[in-house]
Amino acid sequence: SQTIHQWPATLVQPVGSPLSLECTVEGTSNPNLYWYRQAAGRGLQLLFYSVGIGQISSEVPQNLSASRPQDRQFILSSKKLLLSDSGFYLCAWSVSTGGQPQHFGDGTRLSIL
Amino acid sequence: GESVGLHLPTLSVQEGDNSIINCAYSNSASDYFIWYKQESGKGPQFIIDIRSNMDKRQGQRVTVLLNKTVKHLSLQIAATQPGDSAVYFCAGPFGGGYNKLIFGAGTRLAVHP
């Protein structure tokens, strides 16, 4: 069966520091991969998605970037974090054909001080 | 549908009762809808999906109803249990493509013994 792993579960970072969140998927090949952010008490906002290695689509202008160095690895990065980057970051995967559900990891709670 | 709000609507039910969670959407250009359950501190968990060529789909203790005429989607949970307490989200592509799910703001389900 397919599994998705995100780490770390919780992260506290100072303003201006860099960020690297990693997500890996097991048990499937050529998945579509996604990064979302969820503000407290709100729905999910799509940040990036990828349909293949090195292919990244950005949905909102922001202080973040994403990379997909391997088929089942998706990384969310920032060179200098802002206070507004605080939130709950979720990685998800889906099969590459359309009309299939996305499956989420358990997220990273990021607090910027 | 697509809406944002700082205060989640809450549905309170007694254990054993049936629950109905509703979702209204304004964009007709979606042929696929998904329901997710999110427990505190975790990522959304896929519950059930439905395509627009169907009006009803049943799973284990859950039923999704789709009324395209009034643009309304509902999730029915039979014999609600304390473990069903969570925030429930509807989601769909809504014309943006299957990679760009738009999530509703969510409904909190509170199950009381």
Side-chain angles (χ1 to χ4, degrees), chain A residues 38-45, chain B residues 1-10 21-24 35-36 38 86-92 94 102-108:
Chain A
Q38 186 176 30
R42 301 179 77 144
L44 280 69
Q45 179 188 35
Chain B
E2 183 182 2
S3 64
V4 292
L6 296 178
H7 302 285
L8 287 175
T10 299
I21 300 170
N22 297 301
C23 184
W35 279 102
Y36 286 95
Q38 187 176 25
V87 177
Y88 290 80
F89 295 96
C90 62
F94 295 106
I102 295 175
F103 285 75
T107 296
R108 186 178 306 279

Side-chain angles (χ1 to χ4, degrees), chain A residues 2 8 10 21-22 39 48-49 58 63 69-70 78 81 103 106:
Chain A
Q2 301 88 358
T10 306
L21 301 181
E22 189 164 342
F48 303 95
Y49 71 91
S58 175
N63 186 41
Q70 299 181 47
S78 174
L81 287 166
H103 302 278
D106 275 340

Side-chain angles (χ1 to χ4, degrees), chain B residues 8-87:
Chain B
L8 287 175
T10 299
L11 174 66
S12 294
V13 300
Q14 291 294 120
E15 181 177 357
D17 286 352
N18 296 333
S19 303
I20 301 177
I21 300 170
N22 297 301
C23 184
Y25 61 95
S26 56
N27 188 332
S28 299
S30 186
D31 60 355
Y32 180 61
F33 302 87
I34 313 170
W35 279 102
Y36 286 95
K37 171 187 179 184
Q38 187 176 25
E39 297 175 276
S40 180
K42 295 188 175 182
Q45 177 187 7
F46 168 74
I47 302 173
I48 192 168
D49 56 4
I50 189 169
R51 303 189 189 283
S52 60
N53 61 352
M54 303 172 69
D55 297 324
K56 179 180 179 179
R57 190 171 186 211
Q58 288 184 291
Q60 186 177 13
R61 281 201 309 118
V62 296
T63 300
V64 55
L65 298 178
L66 175 62
N67 186 328
K68 295 178 288 293
T69 302
V70 297
K71 301 178 187 176
H72 183 268
L73 188 71
S74 69
L75 177 71
Q76 301 179 2
I77 304 174
T80 312
Q81 302 169 359
D84 294 327
S85 294
V87 177

